[in-house]
């Protein structure tokens, strides 16, 4: 009896049959094509960027001997050991680490405590509150930065904020820089801890705690020796996630830091890539950023074990008896109200109000309120106003159209690819191609959005491989591509979960009935996957609609989105119009959220 | 209606050698049951036959036509083999009505609309579920889903019908009804059926032949009667029969006339014609007697040739009574028809038929003497 590995007699017939078995099976072809696509979309751009960091480009010819295209360590040397290293590496890096560290330090306890109260305590109106608690997360982080500016802006920006307008002297270190960045990011990234820890708490059966109670442990002992250890992995994962996300965050840091020259790795990198021409250094920084962000996530996975940090830990329907808060109920309720006030009500209020103001910081008196920012007609007598109200501004309508187009096209493509990749991973469980697909698809998750678009910038800013890979810079297609691929991890997770629900036997039954691969797809898989497809689609939709970090490097005047327009206007000192645009984005997101909820999508599953 | 030949089939999952040099011929019109404990490779065998798995070695012929040849890497597509499979989970498509589930394969074959309808209604009628045709699978009970699954499998008139533990998800009463149903179906359609189960009662009651599996190896292929009467080794004997067969340890040695064997019940002599041809060790050797509980008859009065025993416990269960006995220091179970109550420690006398005993070589576990 021959072992599995034993060679069969080599015959032409056997080779021919093997070839047709391989090629004649559409599933194999589909796997092959998707693996090629994944390599082309994820691995190649990364390698390309790596190559760019060691290839001499035209702009450095003046400083370096050699020809364009020569191998050079100039960029790495510039970054790692030149007199510029302090300014271009150590300072931004330390800023990134400091803001990331403090963001995690505040937002993890905040999110965890909120989670505990929502899952385990007997707080009244828990259902309604737990809906509200997640809303601040729906507000894009860069919008929150605009709200912050609306309150704290001082003379440095020209236009005053709410406080400065009331005569309060707001020092720079409050209005801009690390404190502002940390606080604004906290009001966004608390959601990671909230979602992860509440998922983990939900999976802890309260019988475990009741058992300890029967053994005579008091509430504090139970919390310390039963509950905490059980949710500790989730807390740890949330910490790492927050750290990695905030280190790589661009929008908040750029809005609140750039004006006073407070750069993080992410914002400095963007300056290099889009700005002064020394893109090689920017790419090198972007690689560092990727190493930093992915390093933390991978280290976490090693420590915590599985990819729990990435999945929401879906709790089984275990039993929960709420823990009475007793006297602490009122203060804790107050805490939540305060949180919602600070994270949701105030930012929204000042943003909306400022969008109606004639002069920012001029108070909310009727004489200072106007609809100009929305519907005003440009008055050529007043040279201070460069733009009409946004609804009359062609830039706005163009950006609106771009945003809608981008979100619709990209999320359809993403959701579709997600289901497709999910199909391959689920059917390839335990096979090599399933594992490879899962690993490759996971890679974009490890990269901060701004770094991810940097690698696409490197890949597509000029043609490669003799035009086989065209230059897509400045095209809408590139923005779509980067949005789609960046959302692969999330979308294919959703797709895998969806496909795993569709038993393989349902397909095999059709196979036996003589249905071809494509027929099985059409008659069995697609009808059964529809529901999951729609909810996956809605979640990606929201994430893409509010995206700024991911596209900021790739923006050209022709394909600006609303997020980017708001960012630009704010930078150019047109705060009211930036606010008005963000409000439009927010409304767009809220409407989508409502629709997504209607389709049963769980917003907690959408990271971004 | 077809003859299936599995020739030297080997199937590996990674390093796990699941089917080991499987050789099995299933005659046209057989109701062949693959019987064995869970994990022994029954489902894998079905999946190899149906084409859902590809074996690494061996050939498969259906009616002499080569369907698998691992040497030339030839594997005919599942849909072209003229067979159908009923999955253990039923695998009904949840988004299709009963009618559409059954019609799917016929539509794939591009049958004419009227023909599809006729075939579907025919198989629904055969399974007596014609009134369910508009329902969705999740609106059906387990038993009804089962019938739909079978109706779907027979709609295309397969030459060969494969059933993977089809009754294991049904409750006890439905299971007995469905057994009868499947037996009738087999007779009415005349299709060759390969039926997988780990339940030996199902196997014994339904099959024309049984293939007994042990960890990926085929240990015995026989009619239900032959398998029950003469399990080929101790494992098979232990697996077949409910209540379990009695194993009594003893010794034996070859004699010129045949075999002499001794256990707590006495010494028995057997003619050569009762022996299996299995090699008999020289001199005295350890053996195991296999005695079916229904072969142990209990008398209350002593008589010439009866063996004395004590009642250890008695379990009357209506139509039958199980009695645990101690005879010659060995424990022995007896099954009596009808409701009889014995006292504990009561003296009774056993009527035995030594010709019906199986005798196994203890060391190899193989059968050396047939029951006749
Ligand atoms: N797809 C598979 N991948 C790996 N191992 C498998 C697969 N299917 C079955 N096996 C293994 O093959 C053995 C036989 O399985 P199976 O044929 O399902 O047994 P049975 O149906 O007799 O219970 C088991 O050990 C099982 O773990
Ligand atoms: Mg099985």
């Amino acid at each position: 009896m021959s072992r599995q590995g034993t060679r069969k007699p080599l015959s032409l017939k056997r080779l021919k049959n093997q070839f047709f078995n391989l090629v004649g099976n559409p599933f194999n072809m589909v796997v092959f094509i998707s693996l090629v696509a994944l390599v082309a979309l994820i691995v190649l751009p990364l390698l390309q960027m790596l190559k760019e960091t060691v290839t001499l480009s035209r702009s450095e010819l003046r400083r370096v001997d050699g020809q364009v295209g020569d191998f050079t360590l100039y960029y790495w040397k510039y970054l790692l050991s030149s007199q510029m290293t302090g300014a271009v590496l150590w300072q931004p890096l330390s800023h990134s680490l400091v803001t990331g560290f403090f963001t995690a330090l505040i937002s993890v306890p905040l999110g965890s405590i909120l989670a505990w109260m929502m899952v385990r305590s007997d707080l009244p109106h828990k259902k309604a509150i737990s809906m509200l608690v997640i809303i601040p997360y729906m507000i894009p982080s860069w919008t929150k930065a605009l709200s912050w500016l609306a309150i704290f802006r001082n003379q440095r920006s020209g236009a005053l904020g709410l406080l400065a307008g009331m005569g309060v002297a707001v020092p720079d270190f409050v209005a801009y820089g690390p404190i502002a960045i940390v606080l604004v990011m906290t009001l966004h990234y608390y959601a990671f801890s909230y979602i992860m820890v509440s998922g983990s708490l939900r999976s802890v059966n309260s019988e475990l705690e009741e058992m300890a109670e029967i053994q005579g442990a008091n509430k504090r002992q139970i919390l310390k020796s039963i509950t905490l250890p059980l949710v500790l992995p989730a807390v740890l994962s949330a910490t790492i996630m927050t750290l990695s996300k905030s280190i790589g965050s661009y929008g908040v840091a750029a809005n609140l830091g750039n004006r006073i020259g407070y750069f993080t790795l992410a914002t400095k990198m963007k300056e290099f890539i889009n700005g002064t021409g020394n893109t090689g250094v920017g790419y090198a920084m972007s690689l560092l950023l990727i190493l930093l962000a992915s390093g933390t996530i991978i280290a976490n996975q090693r420590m915590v074990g599985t990819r729990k940090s990435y999945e929401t830990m879906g709790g089984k329907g275990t039993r929960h008896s709420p823990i009475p808060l007793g006297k602490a109920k009122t203060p804790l309720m107050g805490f939540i109200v305060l949180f919602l006030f600070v994270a949701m009500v105030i930012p929204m209020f000042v943003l909306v109000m400022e969008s109606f103001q004639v002069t920012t910081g001029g108070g909310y008196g009727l004489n200072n309120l106007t609809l100009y920012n929305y519907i005003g007609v440009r008055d050529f007598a007043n040279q201070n106003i460069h733009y009409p109200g946004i609804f009359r501004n062609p830039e706005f309508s163009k950006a609106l159209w771009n945003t809608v187009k981008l979100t619709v096209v990209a999320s359809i493509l993403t959701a579709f690819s997600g289901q497709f990749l999910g199909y391959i991973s689920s059917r390839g469980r335990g096979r090599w191609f399933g594992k490879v697909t899962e690993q490759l698809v996971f890679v974009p998750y490890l990269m901060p959005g701004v770094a991810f678009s940097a690698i696409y910038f490197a890949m597509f800013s000029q043609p490669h491989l003799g035009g086989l890979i065209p230059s897509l810079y400045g095209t809408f297609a590139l923005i779509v591509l980067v949005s789609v691929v960046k959302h692969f991890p999330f979308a294919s997770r959703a797709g895998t979960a969806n496909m795993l629900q569709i038993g393989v036997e349902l397909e095999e039954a059709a196979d036996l009935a003589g249905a071809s691969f494509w027929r099985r797809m059409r008659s069995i898989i697609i009808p059964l996957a529809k529901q999951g497809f729609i909810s996956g689609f809605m979640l990606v939709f929201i994430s893409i609609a509010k995206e700024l970090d991911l596209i900021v490097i790739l923006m050209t005047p022709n394909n600006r989105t609303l997020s980017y327009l708001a960012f630009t206007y704010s930078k150019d000192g047109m705060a009211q119009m930036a606010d008005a645009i963000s409000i439009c984005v927010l409304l767009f997101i809220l409407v989508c959220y409502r629709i997504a909820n209607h389709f049963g999508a769980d917003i907690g599953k959408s990271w971004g | 209606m077809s003859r299936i030949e599995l020739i030297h089939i080997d199937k590996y999952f990674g390093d796990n050698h699941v089917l080991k040099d499987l050789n099995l011929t299933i005659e046209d019109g057989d109701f062949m049951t693959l019987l064995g404990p869970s994990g022994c490779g029954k489902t894998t065998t079905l999946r190899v036959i149906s084409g859902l798995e590809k074996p690494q070695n061996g050939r498969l012929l259906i009616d002499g036509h080569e369907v698998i040849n691992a040497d030339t890497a030839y594997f005919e597509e599942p849909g072209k083999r003229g067979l159908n499979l009923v999955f253990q989970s039923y695998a009904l498509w949840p988004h299709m009505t009963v009618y559409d589930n059954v019609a799917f394969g016929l539509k794939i074959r591009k049958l004419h609309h009227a023909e599809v309808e006729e075939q579907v209604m025919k198989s629904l009628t055969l399974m007596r579920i014609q009134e369910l045709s508009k329902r969705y699978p999740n609106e059906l009970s387990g038993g009804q889903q089962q019938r739909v699954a079978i109706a779907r499998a027979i709609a295309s008139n397969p030459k060969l019908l494969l059933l993977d533990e089809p009754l294991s998800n049904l409750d006890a009463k439905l299971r007995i009804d469905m057994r009868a149903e499947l037996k009738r179906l087999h007779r009415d359609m005349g299709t060759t059926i390969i039926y997988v189960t780990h339940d030996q009662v199902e196997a014994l009651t339904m099959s024309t032949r049984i293939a007994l599996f042990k960890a990926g190896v085929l240990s015995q292929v026989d009619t239900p009667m032959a398998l029950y009467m003469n399990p080929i080794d101790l494992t098979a004997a232990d697996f077949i029969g409910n209540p379990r067969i009695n194993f009594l340890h003893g010794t034996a040695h070859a004699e010129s006339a045949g075999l002499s064997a001794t256990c707590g019940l006495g010494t028995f002599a057997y003619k050569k014609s009762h022996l299996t041809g299995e090699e008999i060790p020289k001199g005295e050797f350890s053996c195991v007697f296999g005695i079916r509980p229904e072969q142990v008859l209990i008398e209350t009065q002593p008589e010439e040739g009866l063996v004395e025993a004590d009642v250890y416990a008695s379990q009357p269960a209506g139509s039958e009574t199980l009695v645990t006995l101690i005879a010659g220091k060995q424990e022995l179970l007896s099954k009596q028809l009808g409701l009889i109550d014995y006292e504990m420690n009561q003296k009774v006398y056993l009527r035995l038929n030594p010709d019906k005993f199986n005798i196994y070589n203890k060391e190899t576990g193989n059968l050396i003497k047939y029951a006749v």
Side-chain angles (χ1 to χ4, degrees), chain A residues 68-114:
Chain A
V68 173
D70 281 358
F71 176 84
T72 177
L73 285 175
Y74 170 77
Y75 302 112
W76 284 102
K77 277 195 192 131
Y78 182 92
L79 182 64
L80 298 175
S81 67
S82 70
Q83 68 258 44
M84 296 305 292
T85 299
V88 300
L89 178 65
W90 297 126
Q91 206 188 30
L93 181 63
S94 67
H95 290 168
S96 291
L97 292 175
V98 164
T99 49
F101 175 79
F102 283 101
T103 304
L105 192 69
I106 309 175
S107 61
V108 172
L110 175 67
S112 310
I113 291 170
L114 285 174

Side-chain angles (χ1 to χ4, degrees), chain B residues 38-39 41-44 88 164-165 196:
Chain B
S38 160
K42 306 178 301 286
T43 298
T44 308
Q88 189 171 0
D164 190 1
E165 312 220 10
V196 161

Side-chain angles (χ1 to χ4, degrees), chain A residues 321-367:
Chain A
S321 352
I323 294 169
L325 291 173
K327 283 209 193 77
K329 196 179 276 181
T330 318
L332 284 177
M333 197 68 193
F335 169 73
I336 289 191
V337 170
L338 183 74
F339 168 77
L340 289 175
F341 208 69
V342 169
M344 184 171 75
V345 179
I346 296 182
M348 289 291 68
F349 177 78
V350 294
L351 205 65
V352 171
M353 288 315 286
E354 196 179 74
S355 77
F356 290 110
Q357 280 183 314
V358 177
T359 319
T360 60
Y364 298 147
L366 266 185
N367 59 346

Side-chain angles (χ1 to χ4, degrees), chain A residues 232-395:
Chain A
L232 202 62
V235 174
L236 195 62
S237 300
T239 312
I240 296 295
M241 269 276 275
T242 310
L243 206 59
S244 157
K245 280 276 180 183
S246 44
I247 286 174
S249 153
Y250 174 81
V252 176
N255 264 310
L256 299 176
N258 288 9
R259 301 164 201 241
I260 57 161
Y262 185 88
F263 285 100
T264 64
L265 210 49
T267 52
K268 194 80 186 173
M269 174 196 100
K270 155 88 161 72
E271 296 282 302
F272 271 102
I273 290 181
N274 282 156
T276 49
N278 207 338
T279 44
V281 178
Y283 292 149
M285 291 173 78
S286 147
L287 282 175
L288 281 186
L289 194 59
I290 290 171
L291 276 183
L292 204 60
S294 59
T296 47
I297 295 178
I298 290 170
N300 175 53
Q301 283 178 356
R302 284 281 139 79
M303 275 190 297
V304 182
T306 54
R307 287 207 182 137
K308 284 266 163 63
S309 60
Y310 170 54
E311 279 170 288
T312 358
M313 290 196 260
K316 291 258 161 53
T318 46
R319 218 166 56 75
H320 291 123
S321 352
I323 294 169
L325 291 173
K327 283 209 193 77
K329 196 179 276 181
T330 318
L332 284 177
M333 197 68 193
F335 169 73
I336 289 191
V337 170
L338 183 74
F339 168 77
L340 289 175
F341 208 69
V342 169
M344 184 171 75
V345 179
I346 296 182
M348 289 291 68
F349 177 78
V350 294
L351 205 65
V352 171
M353 288 315 286
E354 196 179 74
S355 77
F356 290 110
Q357 280 183 314
V358 177
T359 319
T360 60
Y364 298 147
L366 266 185
N367 59 346
N368 194 35
L369 293 183
T370 174
L371 286 175
Y372 180 87
N373 299 309
Y374 289 94
I375 52 169
V377 183
R378 195 179 156 198
D379 176 5
F380 287 91
N382 185 345
Q383 290 301 310
N384 291 328
I385 302 173
H386 303 286
Y387 291 98
I390 56 169
F391 294 142
R392 292 183 194 279
N393 180 347
E395 281 186 353

